[in-house]
Amino acid sequence: MADETPDIEVRVKVLTGQELLLEVNPDDTVLDLRQMLGEAVETCYITSYDIIDKNGEVLQDYDTLGDVQKGDVYKMRFKKYRDKDFRYHVSHVQELLMVKLDEVMISMLPVVQGEEQVDQQTARSYPSLTKMLSGDGKSSGNRDHTAALSDFNMADQKPDPTTVGDPKKIELPDPGPYACAEDFTTDVTLDGFFDLMKQIPAVKYATATGITITWSGFNPPQRHRKLQGDLGYVDIQFTGGTLYQVTCTPNGFYVNQSKAKSELNPSPAAKPCNSETLLGLIFQLSPKHKEKACELLKVRASLHPFETGPMVLPQRTEWVDVGEGKMQSAAGIRYGEGCPAVLDHHIPVRTWNDEVQRALELPSGTFAERFFRDKALSRLHTEFIDFASQAVVTAVDGRVTPLNPQEPQEAWVYLINNTFISQAADTRKTYQDIGGDRAACVFAKQDLHGLQAIRKLRTTLSTVSTAIFDYKGKRMLCQTLVPGILMRKADGKIAAPQVLGVGEENEKLYLTNEHVQEELKRLAPALHCEPHMMRDAEGNEHEVHINAELKAMHSSDDRHYLLECSKLTPRDVNWMDNPLAFVRFELVDDFVKSKRTHEVYQKIGEEIAKKREEGESSLDIHFWALEEIRKADEVHAPKFNCDLHTFSLSMEHIDPKEKTDASHKQLEELAAFLKSKLPTIVTELVNNEIVDTECLRDVFHDYGVNMRYLGEVIEMLPKWATHAVKLCTTELVSRVIKHKLRDVMQENSLQDLAAPIVQLLNSILGEKGKGGNGKAKKKNKKKKETKEVLGERWIEEEALKRFRHKLPEGWLGGLSKFMLLRAVCSKVGLSIKQKEYDFTEETPFEPDDIVDVTVVLHHHPPHYSIMEALLDNCQQEPPEVMAQKVRHALTHANVVIGAVSSESALCFQALAKMLMADIDTAIQYQYKALIISRRLYGATHGSMVSLLKNIAVMAYISGRYYPAIQYLRKALYLSRALSGDVNYDILFNLASFYNKMGYNDRAVNLLKYAVDKASLNPDDKERLAVCTQHLALVYGYSGDITKAIETQKAAFELFTDAIGPEDPQTKDADSWYRYWIKAAVDKAKMAKTAIEKSRRKREEEGRRRRCCCASSPCTLLVIEASKK
């Protein structure tokens, strides 16, 4: 990496007559150069061209720019359209003018002065967008989009030199929809919530172009028209204008003489209008819409690249449709409603399984080999998930025919482009005694976790790539197709590969293949599985290494694929009455880590020190240490019997009683270890470190705790922590509603989902006993019986059954129904209309409020070993070395995974914290992390609270007071909206901002709320002391010394009682108390001195006045006159 070739600048003379300045690398290909030109504003609409080098030769796409020199000029030359070229050109122009802002990326490239003059026809075909957007041409140009966007791109704002160091000189910005966040006596409104949900704030500044481009109904051209050069036909419709029908030819586009959609006349119009590009033709047809198109392109070019760059996975759909005018998605533009993307005949057939297996089998001994392997796996996983999400929607919507249409619908399977799609359902009644279809859904998710655990280990056994999608109430599995699984015999029957572990009648047998057994024996210690003896139905005894129900398939590619990996972790003995209760892999790993002896770490540490002295790289040492720990775990780490207490085993245990008792004791110890994690989660909830239900789920899983322990966590929470109780109860209830909502979706046809969904939501979230409006009031009479079933009583019964928690009386009234609605919609993929829902009505929802149902994805990304090693190794390093390693990790994430990824966001956050000394650089990194997180998780995800808070603090430190207040207000609002409470850090920071800006009343209001909030917890007096001290400081700095002394004294007493008189915090509180007393004394002395000085001044003035009166002749005359 140290021998990288430096970039150099080259010029490209484009068809508009301009010269663009590009930075290229000699190792880049012509495709890279085309990518840069496709993202430049000047050439974003030009798709069919050749690139000519300085020798006049046409460059091929995969030619490298090996002999490029600084100052070289490349030329762009028009290339005639072919069928594929013109289709892509039309679709690309559609995307530029009609697609959402975050799906198309364009940018402004430097333009070299002194461009070449072009003829009039070329100028019409290739308008110079750079001139138009800069104001040289005729464009709207009245609205400064850059200024409008600067409210959000705070990294580009420079501090006002007149206010740096003196924030009192600026006016407090208008809080807008976030003003309600500071009024703690009422709940927050939803205006700010909807404002935050706009995926890209700049969409507010983009006006609809009023241009609609669609494919004509006359496509494809008739044979005689093809012979005359017609490639296809396009309809262009302007808002309030006429319809133009355009003929596409190899030489470009022209308006034909067709007058209506029912009649085709492909001859050129009487008034010729033609262009080599579609955008040039549109600009000729309507100068008015030309200005609107330029305005939209200007907004696109003003956005940050991370706001428009490609994402690693399909972008998450917000649960509220905030509305983006007439903007459409790229998928709908490209393929249309009638032609799903996965069925488009232009998409090549992929051999997904073979590609993935070859990538997994790549060597990974050196850094370069690991890098190449990680990149290949990341690319394949991204492409597979993107395709699978579309394939599942296509299958469930009924756009493809299943392979077995004669069977029940829940048993249908689909084959789309070598992906195998099936529904997680108990079609064979295997799980009918333990939950049926629900059990099948649970085991499907368990199987996904098991496959990922095996894939992390290097083994000759193969696994299929799997993704799970919850869509319209169904849990769909999409897997890569195993070679030979659908091969047919001569009689037409499917000849499936040999499945080891299944008999002719699908009875479960034990694996007998020697190769598979040897590999399982090697994998068992890494999975912490204990070997045990079992006897099958025929009386044969077998040594089971992992799980008796594990199967393998010997496919036609001579690989062995592991199947049914759903029981690779042991049962949770805390929930023996639930046959679906298994512990998580994270818990097993933490338990094993806690049992490692000090001697193991000491021995490895000594070897690491030796290797560092010998000059080995940190990455090689890291991988060596991991391998040594794995070897130590194989010998010393605890292992678990995964077949103990499992359901539907066709074999029986024959281990000695002593070994079985020891295995059971091991499971009890693991269950006790799980319960020891619950107090830590309770502490985080009480301290408001978890702000929404999604973060709550992530915290549970990070600790290895299953969500079925929600009820126990709620019961452990103190009564005063109402915000934590509401948060956990919201998650619990939403999970209960989720299962019922899935059942409702499955029981109804795909075209009639809105009505039953609305009926269920109204029965739970509507106010009982109140009438609706209009038609809804009539429908409610027919739904009384349904409401009784789906009301609070049903939820209480399910909560007790699933979570062992009895909901208190009146629990629904204590929850935020809007947050409950958010949690439910996020879990089932519902998207609802943006409006204020009146939950005091009996029917707050109507069928029109259901906008869409989207897929909810469950998957495991590949394991990126280098990323993990770089981030783990930088923890104990000096700051300079730490920042360097994080930069290496960021570069690795950008190249291997993608710029818009969670790994990149994590690196940007770490760099922002490390580089606080260079505050402008830190702000840029933090802002990038904010953009990426907003696109990945949504603008209202709980992680956004801490990101907004951090960037607000950085902004204030740098003197950017206006955006600092705005970001911190958003963090305050979002925290209250999601959890009903506020993090202490947000309160302290915002109060400090207000105090320094001179708005002391606002600061006191925030800190009084913090004190009241902290006083509710009698076990955390230190927190109350900290809040009280902050309030004392605000009183003191605002000039109210008396209240400062009283409050600081209370803080000192609280610190003394909580942490003792010798603690540094207590001594600091005492010093502040003495400081305020001294300040009061000095203030009193100054006041006394001022009074005395004022008295002396008055006496002096009195004496001076008397003296003047005695000596003044005017006064004597007056006296004499008065005597007479």
Side-chain angles (χ1 to χ4, degrees):
M1 298 177 68
D3 300 332
E4 290 183 354
T5 308
D7 293 342
I8 61 174
E9 294 181 349
V10 297
R11 299 182 179 188
V12 179
K13 186 172 292 183
V14 299
L15 291 168
T16 62
Q18 301 279 352
E19 278 191 11
L20 301 184
L21 192 62
L22 304 174
E23 283 192 1
V24 300
N25 191 288
D27 297 331
D28 289 341
T29 64
V30 177
L31 277 178
D32 298 322
L33 189 61
R34 286 181 177 274
Q35 179 71 21
M36 296 180 193
L37 293 173
E39 295 175 358
V41 170
E42 185 71 8
T43 55
C44 62
Y45 63 94
I46 306 174
T47 61
S48 185
Y49 57 89
D50 289 325
I51 296 179
I52 312 299
D53 65 5
K54 57 185 179 182
N55 299 322
E57 297 180 359
V58 177
L59 300 179
Q60 302 301 318
D61 286 347
Y62 292 97
D63 290 346
T64 59
L65 308 176
D67 58 347
V68 64
Q69 299 294 329
K70 184 176 181 179
D72 283 354
V73 179
Y74 292 95
K75 293 185 178 180
M76 181 186 290
R77 185 177 68 188
F78 172 70
K79 177 183 176 182
K80 289 189 175 183
Y81 294 101
R82 295 173 297 177
D83 184 73
K84 179 180 179 181
D85 298 332
F86 106 87
R87 288 176 182 273
Y88 174 73
H89 181 85
V90 174
S91 297
H92 187 63
V93 174
Q94 284 178 317
E95 291 176 356
L96 288 175
L97 300 181
M98 302 168 63
V99 166
K100 296 177 182 178
L101 291 174
D102 58 339
E103 294 193 20
V104 178
M105 181 173 70
I106 59 176
S107 58
M108 301 289 287
L109 288 180
V111 177
V112 181
Q113 297 298 326
E115 67 274 7
E116 179 181 311
Q117 296 295 326
V118 296
D119 58 85
Q120 189 174 4
Q121 178 59 34
T122 304
R124 286 197 296 263
S125 295
Y126 302 100
S128 178
L129 296 180
T130 304
K131 283 185 177 181
M132 296 179 182
L133 301 187
S134 61
D136 295 339
K138 291 183 178 181
S139 64
S140 59
N142 297 325
R143 297 170 60 185
D144 187 0
H145 296 285
T146 305
L149 293 172
S150 64
D151 292 347
F152 307 97
N153 190 2
M154 189 267 297
D156 291 341
Q157 288 192 13
K158 300 300 180 184
D160 185 354
T162 63
T163 62
V164 172
D166 189 7
K168 294 184 179 181
K169 290 185 178 181
I170 69 169
E171 295 183 3
L172 196 65
D174 181 17
Y178 310 107
C180 59
E182 297 179 37
D183 184 5
F184 300 104
T185 59
T186 60
D187 294 332
V188 296
T189 62
L190 303 181
D191 295 338
F193 210 84
F194 293 142
D195 186 69
L196 282 170
M197 283 175 142
K198 291 180 172 58
Q199 295 177 353
I200 295 185
V203 76
K204 295 187 296 186
Y205 305 101
T207 57
T209 60
I211 304 171
T212 303
I213 305 172
T214 57
W215 294 103
S216 172
F218 297 114
N219 288 310
Q222 298 179 4
R223 292 182 179 180
H224 71 283
R225 291 304 308 174
K226 283 187 177 182
L227 293 176
Q228 299 182 43
D230 289 4
L231 297 174
Y233 309 104
V234 175
D235 293 340
I236 301 177
Q237 177 76 50
F238 297 105
T239 303
T242 58
L243 172 69
Y244 295 92
Q245 294 200 15
V246 178
T247 301
C248 312
T249 68
N251 293 321
F253 305 83
Y254 66 84
V255 179
N256 59 40
Q257 295 184 13
S258 301
K259 299 299 182 181
K261 292 186 177 182
S262 59
E263 180 182 354
L264 173 66
N265 186 351
S267 302
K271 184 180 179 181
C273 185
N274 57 78
S275 172
E276 291 180 359
T277 63
L278 187 58
L279 190 68
L281 186 71
I282 293 173
F283 283 4
Q284 295 178 50
L285 292 174
S286 177
K288 174 184 176 182
H289 291 86
K290 168 185 173 180
E291 295 183 2
K292 293 184 177 181
C294 289
E295 186 177 2
L296 175 61
L297 293 175
K298 188 171 185 177
V299 174
R300 290 191 188 277
S302 302
L303 294 176
H304 193 282
F306 287 166
E307 290 181 302
T308 57
M311 295 185 62
V312 177
L313 296 172
Q315 183 164 353
R316 175 174 175 170
T317 305
E318 287 284 9
W319 63 278
V320 169
D321 181 33
V322 295
E324 296 188 6
K326 297 183 179 180
M327 296 287 180
Q328 304 179 36
S329 66
I333 286 290
R334 197 174 295 119
Y335 303 107
E337 286 297 324
C339 180
V342 296
L343 300 181
D344 189 72
H345 66 277
H346 293 96
I347 295 180
V349 177
R350 299 286 297 270
T351 54
W352 295 104
N353 187 77
D354 186 61
E355 293 179 44
V356 172
Q357 300 307 324
R358 288 179 182 273
L360 289 170
E361 293 167 359
L362 289 173
S364 59
T366 63
F367 177 87
E369 290 174 345
R370 289 179 183 271
F371 180 87
F372 185 76
R373 182 177 183 269
D374 287 354
K375 186 175 182 179
L377 288 174
S378 175
R379 177 183 61 82
L380 285 171
H381 182 75
T382 301
E383 293 174 354
F384 172 70
I385 294 297
D386 183 53
F387 180 84
S389 61
Q390 300 176 49
V392 165
V393 173
T394 303
V396 176
D397 287 348
R399 296 183 178 182
V400 291
T401 304
L403 295 179
N404 52 343
Q406 73 281 359
E407 297 186 17
Q409 185 173 354
E410 59 270 13
W412 285 355
V413 295
Y414 304 86
L415 181 64
I416 304 176
N417 202 348
N418 286 325
T419 58
F420 191 77
I421 302 173
S422 60
Q423 182 179 346
D426 187 22
T427 56
R428 296 180 179 177
K429 307 302 179 183
T430 307
Y431 309 117
Q432 60 181 348
D433 296 333
I434 60 171
D437 289 345
R438 178 174 176 267
C441 293
V442 171
F443 283 126
K445 192 79 170 289
Q446 288 277 102
D447 185 68
L448 179 68
H449 300 328
L451 290 172
Q452 175 65 10
I454 292 176
R455 184 166 284 189
K456 285 183 180 180
L457 309 173
R458 297 309 299 266
T459 174
T460 59
L461 298 178
S462 302
T463 56
V464 294
S465 292
T466 304
I468 295 177
F469 300 89
D470 293 334
Y471 181 56
K472 292 187 176 178
K474 300 177 181 179
R475 172 155 289 184
M476 306 298 293
L477 282 76
C478 187
Q479 300 173 307
T480 55
L481 186 66
V482 176
I485 195 172
L486 296 179
M487 292 178 62
R488 294 183 178 273
K489 300 179 182 179
D491 57 0
K493 295 182 179 180
I494 293 179
Q498 179 188 6
V499 180
L500 309 175
V502 176
E504 295 182 358
E505 300 298 332
N506 288 326
E507 72 272 12
K508 294 179 180 178
L509 307 176
Y510 187 66
L511 298 174
T512 56
N513 184 277
E514 293 183 2
H515 170 69
V516 176
Q517 281 295 319
E518 286 298 323
E519 278 299 306
L520 293 180
K521 184 177 181 180
R522 191 180 67 83
L523 291 177
L527 294 172
H528 313 298
C529 295
E530 180 186 31
H532 48 281
M533 297 298 298
M534 302 193 76
R535 181 187 296 117
D536 60 20
E538 298 179 357
N540 301 318
E541 297 182 357
H542 305 277
E543 183 181 13
V544 179
H545 299 288
I546 297 179
N547 179 263
E549 297 193 7
L550 195 64
K551 296 196 291 288
M553 176 184 293
H554 189 199
S555 67
S556 61
D557 62 356
D558 202 26
R559 292 188 179 101
H560 290 88
Y561 293 86
L562 287 180
L563 307 174
E564 293 197 12
C565 303
S566 58
K567 299 178 182 178
L568 301 188
T569 55
R571 281 289 309 278
D572 185 356
V573 297
N574 292 328
W575 287 72
M576 290 302 296
D577 57 334
N578 183 357
L580 306 178
F582 290 80
V583 299
R584 297 183 62 86
F585 283 95
E586 297 92 338
L587 181 73
V588 176
D589 292 339
D590 287 350
F591 182 74
V592 170
K593 185 178 180 179
S594 68
K595 293 296 182 180
R596 287 177 190 149
T597 60
H598 175 70
E599 289 76 12
V600 173
Y601 289 110
Q602 184 177 7
K603 182 180 178 181
I604 294 176
E606 293 173 356
E607 291 294 329
I608 289 176
K610 292 180 182 179
K611 289 180 177 292
R612 284 179 177 172
E613 293 177 358
E614 295 172 359
E616 290 193 29
S617 68
S618 58
L619 289 179
D620 292 337
I621 295 174
H622 174 83
F623 294 129
W624 173 86
L626 290 180
E627 183 64 21
E628 290 299 312
I629 290 175
R630 186 189 65 79
K631 292 179 181 178
D633 287 345
E634 290 182 1
V635 180
H636 304 288
K639 299 175 180 58
F640 307 96
N641 186 342
C642 295
D643 282 326
L644 204 59
H645 306 302
T646 55
F647 169 78
S648 71
L649 278 176
S650 57
M651 305 173 71
E652 61 176 342
H653 291 273
I654 57 173
D655 278 336
K657 186 177 182 301
E658 295 79 6
K659 185 176 181 179
T660 304
D661 292 343
S663 300
H664 185 73
K665 185 178 180 181
Q666 195 79 277
L667 295 184
E668 290 179 343
E669 189 175 354
L670 180 64
F673 180 76
L674 188 154
K675 287 206 169 187
S676 68
K677 299 273 188 177
L678 301 185
T680 307
I681 297 177
V682 170
T683 302
E684 292 191 16
L685 281 166
V686 168
N687 294 335
N688 205 25
E689 297 176 15
I690 306 172
V691 296
D692 75 335
T693 55
E694 295 180 63
C695 292
L696 178 66
R697 177 202 61 199
D698 294 339
V699 168
F700 265 69
H701 292 171
D702 289 342
Y703 282 113
V705 180
N706 304 84
M707 296 307 295
R708 57 178 169 269
Y709 284 90
L710 259 176
E712 191 166 343
V713 169
I714 293 175
E715 293 172 0
M716 295 174 64
L717 288 168
K719 294 182 179 180
W720 58 266
T722 55
H723 66 282
V725 175
K726 288 180 181 178
L727 182 64
C728 293
T729 305
T730 300
E731 175 67 8
L732 185 149
V733 173
S734 67
R735 287 180 170 268
V736 173
I737 299 174
K738 172 188 69 175
H739 293 290
K740 188 62 182 178
L741 197 52
R742 285 178 177 173
D743 295 339
V744 169
M745 290 182 178
Q746 290 194 52
E747 292 169 359
N748 293 272
S749 62
L750 301 178
Q751 292 75 24
D752 302 323
L753 282 180
I757 290 174
V758 165
Q759 179 183 347
L760 177 60
L761 294 178
N762 285 333
S763 67
I764 298 172
L765 300 177
E767 189 71 23
K768 306 300 182 293
K770 291 200 175 183
N773 295 323
K775 298 179 181 179
K777 187 180 288 187
K778 297 179 180 179
K779 293 181 180 179
N780 289 336
K781 296 179 180 179
K782 302 179 181 180
K783 300 176 183 176
K784 289 183 178 179
E785 297 180 1
T786 308
K787 286 203 169 204
E788 294 177 1
V789 177
L790 302 180
E792 298 180 26
R793 184 180 303 175
W794 169 79
I795 296 178
E796 293 169 3
E797 294 174 355
E798 290 295 312
L800 187 61
K801 175 183 176 182
R802 295 178 185 272
F803 298 95
R804 296 179 181 173
H805 176 66
K806 184 177 181 180
L807 292 170
E809 186 176 353
W811 57 269
L812 186 57
L815 301 182
S816 169
K817 291 186 177 181
F818 189 78
M819 291 301 104
L820 179 59
L821 174 65
R822 172 182 180 269
V824 172
C825 292
S826 300
K827 287 176 173 58
V828 298
L830 272 184
S831 180
I832 62 175
K833 187 182 296 184
Q834 174 190 348
K835 72 175 189 180
E836 288 279 352
Y837 292 95
D838 187 3
F839 295 108
T840 61
E841 293 290 335
E842 189 174 3
T843 56
F845 301 96
E846 297 179 356
D848 288 342
D849 296 332
I850 307 301
V851 177
D852 195 11
V853 180
T854 58
V855 294
V856 179
L857 170 64
H858 306 278
H859 74 113
H860 282 294
H863 179 239
Y864 305 112
S865 54
I866 297 180
M867 274 286 302
E868 179 183 321
L870 287 170
L871 295 178
D872 287 349
N873 278 329
C874 71
Q875 301 298 327
Q876 306 299 328
E877 302 285 355
E880 299 80 7
V881 179
M882 188 185 305
Q884 183 180 6
K885 288 190 174 182
V886 175
R887 286 193 180 97
H888 288 167
L890 177 61
T891 303
H892 184 80
N894 290 339
V895 176
V896 173
I897 310 171
V900 186
S901 62
S902 57
E903 290 79 5
S904 296
L906 181 64
C907 293
F908 280 128
Q909 290 184 61
L911 286 172
K913 292 179 181 178
M914 295 175 190
L915 302 176
M916 286 293 289
D918 185 1
I919 192 63
D920 288 337
T921 304
I923 287 175
Q924 293 178 9
Y925 284 135
Q926 186 69 22
Y927 184 71
K928 291 175 181 178
L930 181 67
I931 295 175
I932 295 173
S933 299
R934 183 175 60 195
R935 289 194 69 194
L936 290 176
Y937 310 120
T940 58
H941 191 267
S943 62
M944 296 295 293
V945 175
S946 60
L947 288 167
L948 290 168
K949 180 195 68 175
N950 292 340
I951 199 171
V953 173
M954 294 177 185
Y956 192 88
I957 293 174
S958 67
R960 299 171 173 89
Y961 305 121
Y962 185 92
I965 290 292
Q966 289 292 72
Y967 276 115
L968 206 54
R969 278 173 169 170
K970 290 179 181 180
L972 176 68
Y973 175 87
L974 190 56
S975 180
R976 283 200 63 194
L978 292 176
S979 66
D981 206 352
V982 188
N983 188 281
Y984 285 102
D985 289 342
I986 298 176
L987 291 172
F988 294 159
N989 284 315
L990 189 55
S992 176
F993 288 5
Y994 282 149
N995 181 52
K996 291 181 180 180
M997 294 173 68
Y999 297 93
N1000 299 316
D1001 294 341
R1002 292 175 176 266
V1004 169
N1005 180 44
L1006 292 172
L1007 291 175
K1008 280 185 175 180
Y1009 174 77
V1011 171
D1012 294 339
K1013 172 186 170 184
S1015 62
L1016 296 174
N1017 185 1
D1019 300 327
D1020 193 1
K1021 293 183 179 181
E1022 183 179 357
R1023 176 81 68 179
L1024 178 59
V1026 171
C1027 297
T1028 307
Q1029 179 155 327
H1030 275 80
L1031 182 58
L1033 293 175
V1034 171
Y1035 279 138
Y1037 286 133
S1038 61
D1040 195 342
I1041 305 299
T1042 303
K1043 287 187 177 180
I1045 293 174
E1046 296 175 357
T1047 312
Q1048 188 62 49
K1049 181 180 179 181
F1052 171 70
E1053 293 174 351
L1054 288 169
F1055 273 123
T1056 304
D1057 188 25
I1059 56 180
E1062 300 300 324
D1063 191 88
Q1065 290 190 72
T1066 308
K1067 293 181 179 180
D1068 183 62
D1070 182 50
S1071 64
W1072 274 110
Y1073 178 58
R1074 296 177 185 277
Y1075 173 82
W1076 293 125
I1077 291 178
K1078 184 177 181 300
V1081 172
D1082 293 343
K1083 184 178 181 180
K1085 288 182 179 179
M1086 291 175 62
K1088 184 177 181 180
T1089 302
I1091 293 173
E1092 183 65 23
K1093 187 176 180 180
S1094 177
R1095 183 183 63 80
R1096 291 176 181 177
K1097 186 176 180 180
R1098 288 196 302 271
E1099 291 178 354
E1100 184 66 26
E1101 289 178 354
R1103 283 196 299 269
R1104 190 180 299 113
R1105 197 178 296 114
R1106 287 193 297 272
C1107 293
C1108 291
C1109 291
S1111 59
S1112 173
C1114 295
T1115 306
L1116 292 174
L1117 289 174
V1118 172
I1119 294 174
E1120 290 295 330
S1122 63
K1123 287 181 179 180
K1124 291 180 180 181

